[in-house]
Amino acid sequence: MNKRTFLKLSTMAMTSPVLSPVLAWALGDKLKNWAGNVEYGTEQWYAADSMEQVKDFVIKEENFKVLGTRHCFNNIADSTNYFLSLKKMDKVVVLDPEARTVTLEAGMTYGQLCPYLDSKGFALHNLASLPHISVAGACSTATHGSGDANGNLATAVSALEFVRASGETVRLSRSRDGETFHGAVVGLGALGVITKVTLDIQPTYQMRQYVYENLPFPEVKQHFDAIMSSAYSVSLFTDWQKQRVNEVWLKSRIEPEKPFQPPREFFGAKPATKNLHPIAELSAENCTPQMGVPGPWYERLPHFRMGFTPSAGKELQSEYFVPRRHAVEAILAVERLRDQVGPHLLISEIRSIAADNLWMSTCYATDHRRRTGAARCPSALGEAVHDKSREAPFQLRKTARLY
Ligand SMILES: Cc1cc2nc3c(=O)[nH]c(=O)nc-3n(C[C@H](O)[C@H](O)[C@H](O)COP(=O)(O)OP(=O)(O)OC[C@H]3O[C@@H](n4cnc5c(N)ncnc54)[C@H](O)[C@@H]3O)c2cc1C
C-alpha cells in the first residue's frame, strides 16, 4: 500500500461511524498477516476508539474477528466478514503500585507498555522474542518467552474485561472467578472482544545477556536440565547440522544477592566475541544488546528490538510443545531429521516454559504433572523458522502442538 492510500484509509477509519460502508484495506492490496503467508478473507475493518464504539459494533455485526497486531502465522485471526481493530485503544488505564498491577486498553503493544512501566519503576516477569505484538493478542494465544520458572505471558493476566456477542461487558479476575477465569484468559479470540487487560507487575530490574557458540549435542543430551536452568531465560538456536547448537542465549537478572558469573566455557560452547543474530548471517543490529552489557528487562528479555524487523521477515514459524520429561528424546528425534529439515530451515529455537493452569494454554498442566503432583512441570518448546521461498508445500507449514 502506498503512503497516500494508507493515510486516506486511516483518515476514513478514524472518522467512519459504526457500520460505515465497506472500507477496502487498499486498492488491489490484500490485508495479510505480518508474514504475508495468510491473506485474510475480507478487507473490511473498523477501528473503534471507545467502549461505546466497540459495543455498537458488536451488537450490529454478526460475524467478525478482532485484529491484533497480525503476528499469528496461521489463520486463527482470519475472518470472511469483518475485522474490528482496537489499535487506537492503546492507553494505560491505571497503574496500581499497591496491588502490583497495571490495567491497559487491549490495543496496546508490549513495545508501548514496557518503557512506560519501567519509567514508573515496574516490570513484567517475561516477554516474547519481540515487543511488537499486542498484549491482548499475545495473552489470548498463550504467547511465551523462555525460562524454567517463567510461565507464559498469559500467566501475568490477573483480570480481563471483554464484550460478549450480546454487547454485555464481562469482567473476570483471578482472585474472584476461579476456574471461569482460568478458562477465559487464553480464549483464542473466541469469547468476545477483550477491551482491557490487567497484568501482574513487579519492581523493575536490570538484565545482562550472554551468547555462546557451538554447544555440542552430546552435552545437550547429558545436561539438558542444567543447561536450561542455568539462567533466568535460556534459548538454544540450532540449524540441526554438525551435531551442535549454534547459539546459546542466556538472559540473567542482575541481583546483588545472587550475582551471575558467566562461565568462560558453557558445556563446551565458547563465548561469542560480538553481538549475534539467531540467524548468524543476519545483522545483529535488529537484536537486543548482548556481551553482558547491563540494560533494562524490556531490552534484554526479547531477542529483537522495537523499531527493527524481528526475526528474518519473510518466514514461517511452527511450534511444537512437549512435556519436559520428553525434551531430550524430542530434540534427538528432530536432530535425526537434519537432512530433511535442513534445506527448508532458517533456524530452530529450543526454550522451556513453566506449566500453568490456563485451560487453553499450550503449557497447561500435563497428565504427567497431575500424576506426580509436582508444583511446576516446565514444557520444552521448539520453534522452527522456515525460509518461505524454500518452503516445501506440506512440510512444517502449520503450527503444531504435541502433548
Ligand atoms: C517474528 C515473530 C516472532 C514471534 N515470537 C514469538 C515468541 O517469542 N513467542 C511466542 O509465543 N509467539 C511468538 N510469535 C507469535 C505471536 O506472538 C502470536 O502469534 C500472537 O498471537 C501475536 O499477537 P497479535 O496481537 O499479533 O495476534 P493476531 O494475529 O492479530 O491475533 C491472534 C488472535 O488473537 C485474537 N485477538 C487479538 N486481539 C484481541 C482482542 N482484543 N480481543 C479478542 N481477541 C483478540 C485474534 O482475533 C486472533 O484470534 C511471534 C510471531 C512473529 C511474527
Side-chain angles (χ1 to χ4, degrees), residues 2 31 33 40 50 80-81 83 103 109 134 147 192 230 250 258 282 284 302 306 309 320 353 363 371 396:
N2 66 33
L31 180 58
N33 68 342
Y40 292 136
S50 67
T80 47
N81 301 286
F83 285 114
T103 301
T109 64
S134 76
S230 61
L250 304 182
K258 271 197 277 167
L282 298 184
M306 194 67 192
T309 301
Y320 303 84
I353 310 161
C363 308
R371 274 203 306 271
L396 301 164

Side-chain angles (χ1 to χ4, degrees), residues 172-174 176-185 357-359 364:
L172 297 175
S173 81
R174 191 197 286 142
R176 222 182 30 229
D177 298 297
E179 287 304 294
T180 310
F181 174 78
H182 294 144
V185 176
N357 53 5
L358 306 172
W359 295 3
Y364 182 75

Side-chain angles (χ1 to χ4, degrees), residues 122-193:
F122 290 100
L124 299 173
H125 80 293
N126 210 357
L127 290 170
S129 66
L130 76 175
H132 308 58
I133 49 179
S134 76
V135 175
C139 293
S140 297
T141 53
T143 292
H144 54 82
S146 190
D148 271 7
N150 300 325
N152 65 35
L153 305 193
T155 61
V157 177
S158 65
L160 269 185
E161 176 190 274
F162 60 92
V163 178
R164 296 170 73 161
S166 61
E168 178 200 357
T169 305
V170 180
R171 293 187 184 86
L172 297 175
S173 81
R174 191 197 286 142
S175 59
R176 222 182 30 229
D177 298 297
E179 287 304 294
T180 310
F181 174 78
H182 294 144
V185 176
V186 180
L188 308 179
L191 292 182
V193 180

Side-chain angles (χ1 to χ4, degrees), residues 34-35 40 65-73 76-77 86 106 128-130 133-138 140-145 188-190 192-195 304 310-311 315 317 319 349 351 383:
W34 173 86
Y40 292 136
K65 288 249 175 101
V66 181
L67 209 51
T69 33
R70 296 182 292 119
H71 273 67
C72 263
F73 287 90
I76 189 175
L86 304 185
S129 66
L130 76 175
I133 49 179
S134 76
V135 175
S140 297
T141 53
T143 292
H144 54 82
L188 308 179
V193 180
I194 299 167
T195 42
F304 303 106
S311 203
E315 67 190 44
Q317 294 183 14
E319 297 192 342
E349 180 176 9
R351 293 166 142 181
E383 264 181 82

